[in-house]
Amino acid sequence: MITKHDYANKCWWCGSDANSREHKYKKSDLINEFGRGAYSGTKSVVRVTSGQERPVQGPNSNEVKFQGHFCQRCNNETSQPFDTAYRAFTSHIKSNEKSITQSKQFKFSDIYGSTWQTDKDNLMRYYVKHIGCRLADSKVLIVPEVIDFLNGNSALRFISLNFEIRDDIVATINKLESDGDDSGMLWIGDMDCMSSPSTGEITNINSHITYRWLRLNYGYDLSIPANSNNFSSDLVILQSDFNVDPSTIN
């Protein structure tokens, strides 16, 4: 059963004192998309949440970090291979943006070479680390099976991960580039769930994180079986969707 949980200033991963704050958006993404800062004047960056624009001062702004519940060792040392795999992944996605959005597919071996299986799993662990920080911020219990996956002791259970292309964001980026604007885009979706006021049980937690036009939809629920994702093999076939008709973006 998933329930609410007070981490009491302890790291949600290892239980040590929480003395670090993970980025909601990868710091390398912020730098690659918006520069090293400061984000002011014509280079201003804002984060829109609940309909309000919140200024971001730079890539180390507290505005782009989780509240806490994490320790320096897990953030900077234990998870370093995850961060390395993620940076290589997003670099490839951006460098091959046109071909991937047109073919709607990519191969992990084109990114990581012969180590693609290990690096692909580390990429998954990067996303699970992000999800764990978000759940901890929301005071949701992270079950031991998720920790086991991060520690390399088991397959991923209870979390689903699925990539898709957002066609309206692709069209928006293409429009901006044609107008000479190379503004970046990073997204985190609202977190939705079902909950029982009487028992405190939480089910069907869903959200997403998006790098430019590539969205990772994720779910957290104890009914989700192991290896629930659309990138278990080398070749990843991407579905696509949109909120705004891409043909109207011109």
Side-chain angles (χ1 to χ4, degrees), residues 13-14 70-83 122 125 129 150-152:
W13 184 345
C14 73
F70 215 33
C71 73
Q72 290 184 7
R73 182 176 181 182
C74 287
N75 195 5
N76 301 324
E77 181 179 337
T78 309
S79 63
Q80 186 176 29
F82 314 166
D83 297 338
N122 281 333
R125 290 186 178 96
K129 178 180 71 165
L150 287 174
N151 290 334

Side-chain angles (χ1 to χ4, degrees), residues 6-115:
D6 183 358
Y7 289 90
N9 296 318
K10 297 295 183 180
C11 175
W12 61 264
W13 184 345
C14 73
S16 300
D17 290 341
N19 55 7
S20 185
R21 296 182 66 178
E22 169 76 345
H23 277 74
K24 297 178 181 179
Y25 313 86
K26 193 78 181 77
K27 183 178 178 180
S28 58
D29 288 346
L30 290 162
I31 292 172
N32 290 337
E33 297 299 304
F34 307 115
R36 295 186 176 276
Y39 301 153
S40 60
T42 58
K43 295 185 177 181
S44 294
V45 174
V46 296
R47 181 169 177 260
V48 180
T49 178
S50 301
Q52 295 183 336
E53 293 187 356
R54 302 169 65 94
V56 177
Q57 307 300 327
N60 278 320
S61 169
N62 286 335
E63 184 62 36
V64 293
K65 293 182 180 180
F66 290 107
Q67 294 173 16
H69 316 298
F70 215 33
C71 73
Q72 290 184 7
R73 182 176 181 182
C74 287
N75 195 5
N76 301 324
E77 181 179 337
T78 309
S79 63
Q80 186 176 29
F82 314 166
D83 297 338
T84 299
Y86 178 81
R87 286 193 297 269
F89 176 68
T90 52
S91 176
H92 179 86
I93 292 298
K94 187 171 183 178
S95 297
N96 296 273
E97 195 162 71
K98 299 298 183 184
S99 62
I100 294 173
T101 55
Q102 290 173 4
S103 67
K104 299 189 184 301
Q105 63 182 40
F106 65 85
K107 284 186 174 182
F108 283 115
S109 59
D110 290 337
I111 305 170
Y112 302 121
S114 61
T115 62

Side-chain angles (χ1 to χ4, degrees), residues 130-186:
H130 167 90
I131 295 165
C133 287
R134 190 156 190 207
L135 293 172
D137 262 13
S138 299
K139 296 185 177 181
V140 173
L141 177 67
I142 300 164
V143 295
E145 290 84 353
V146 173
I147 306 299
D148 286 342
F149 172 72
L150 287 174
N151 290 334
N153 297 327
S154 69
L156 178 60
R157 299 174 60 195
F158 308 143
I159 291 179
S160 62
L161 304 169
N162 290 281
F163 283 123
E164 71 173 3
I165 295 173
R166 301 301 295 183
D167 287 336
D168 45 355
I169 301 179
V170 173
T172 300
I173 289 174
N174 290 340
K175 171 60 176 173
L176 289 171
E177 288 181 347
S178 68
D179 292 341
D181 187 343
D182 61 353
S183 298
M185 294 186 184
L186 304 173

